[in-house]
């Protein structure tokens, strides 16, 4: 007799999750930004999330670098073009266990209708039940992408020859899931 695992569906808990990115500015400092509106689901048959199926999206218009002029520029056609491409999306292709709590997440990231395969490092922080009886799971996800791969090509050089915005974007996501 064959046993069938039940698929568990988890959702990102936006009140306890953060989606950050970092980029070099003038090649001497780092600017941090975030997306304030995002959602995602994770489907898994395993308590350790091995082979989970992950979908994620963030609203470009929710970009926040704590500078309204910069946010407006990032939403413009020089970068994300929030009007024509209102969301970035990620769909996983694999989540493989690399160590006790370490995973490699591969998938397809779409920005400005350009889709590229990316690989991210994942640290699984475990599961817990909150005081209200909700099962939660926590993850730290990091990686790097090249912004120009996704059509974010705006570039400027200072009088001294410094590049204003670096090409490498560091991703830093702290995600808490809630079991539906």
């Amino acid at each position: 007799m064959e046993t069938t695992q039940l698929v568990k569906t988890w959702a990102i808990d936006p009140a306890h999750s953060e989606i950050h990115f970092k980029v070099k500015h003038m090649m001497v400092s780092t600017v941090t930004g975030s997306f304030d509106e995002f959602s995602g689901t994770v489907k898994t048959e395993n308590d350790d999330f091995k082979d989970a199926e992950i979908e994620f999206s963030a609203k470009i218009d929710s970009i926040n670098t704590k500078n309204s002029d910069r946010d407006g520029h990032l939403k413009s056609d020089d970068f994300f073009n929030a009007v024509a491409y209102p969301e970035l999306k990620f769909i996983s292709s694999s989540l493989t266990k690399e160590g006790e709590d370490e995973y490699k997440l591969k998938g397809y990231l779409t920005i400005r209708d350009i889709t590229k395969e990316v690989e991210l490092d994942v640290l699984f922080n475990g599961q817990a039940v909150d005081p209200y009886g909700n099962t939660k799971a926590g993850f730290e996800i990091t990686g790097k992408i090249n912004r120009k791969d996704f059509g974010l090509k705006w570039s400027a050089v200072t009088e001294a020859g410094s590049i204003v915005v670096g090409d490498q974007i560091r991703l830093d996501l702290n995600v808490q899931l809630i079991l539906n």
Side-chain angles (χ1 to χ4, degrees):
M1 184 170 169
E2 200 173 297
T3 58
T4 304
Q5 289 270 14
L6 291 176
V7 174
K8 296 177 183 177
T9 302
W10 301 74
I12 291 180
D13 180 353
H16 298 103
S17 299
E18 300 172 332
I19 310 303
H20 293 283
F21 60 89
K22 296 180 181 198
V23 64
K24 285 287 187 191
H25 182 256
M26 307 283 292
M27 305 317 288
V28 297
S29 65
T30 300
V31 171
T32 300
S34 63
F35 291 96
D36 294 338
E37 293 179 42
F38 51 87
S39 63
T41 58
V42 176
K43 293 181 180 180
T44 184
E45 295 178 357
N46 305 301
D47 286 337
D48 68 358
F49 290 86
K50 185 174 160 281
D51 299 323
E53 295 177 10
I54 302 161
E55 291 189 18
F56 171 82
S57 65
K59 300 233 182 265
I60 299 300
D61 206 39
S62 76
I63 202 164
N64 182 356
T65 64
K66 298 182 181 173
N67 179 300
S68 60
D69 289 341
R70 180 172 46 226
D71 295 348
H73 190 203
L74 290 170
K75 293 173 191 179
S76 78
D77 192 40
D78 284 344
F79 289 96
F80 288 99
N81 192 346
V83 172
Y85 310 103
E87 288 187 324
L88 66 79
K89 296 179 183 180
F90 174 83
I91 297 174
S92 68
S93 58
S94 68
L95 180 65
T96 55
K97 199 165 185 174
E98 300 279 310
E100 187 173 335
D101 298 322
E102 292 107 19
Y103 295 77
K104 286 287 183 197
L105 174 59
K106 292 182 182 178
Y108 297 95
L109 178 62
T110 302
I111 300 173
R112 291 184 62 113
D113 274 356
I114 298 170
T115 302
K116 299 283 184 182
E117 187 172 30
V118 298
E119 182 176 286
L120 305 169
D121 295 318
V122 178
L123 179 63
F124 176 39
N125 292 327
Q127 291 185 40
V129 177
D130 73 12
Y132 308 102
N134 299 305
T135 302
K136 305 276 184 108
F139 299 87
E140 295 174 37
I141 305 163
T142 58
K144 291 181 183 180
I145 62 170
N146 186 313
R147 68 183 177 92
K148 290 185 176 178
D149 289 346
F150 295 93
L152 308 176
K153 296 185 187 276
W154 182 85
S155 191
V157 178
T158 66
E159 286 182 24
S162 295
I163 296 171
V164 176
V165 179
D167 293 344
Q168 292 295 313
I169 308 296
R170 291 183 295 168
L171 305 175
D172 187 12
L173 295 76
N174 294 304
V175 175
Q176 187 174 106
L177 301 177
I178 184 168
L179 183 61
N180 289 338

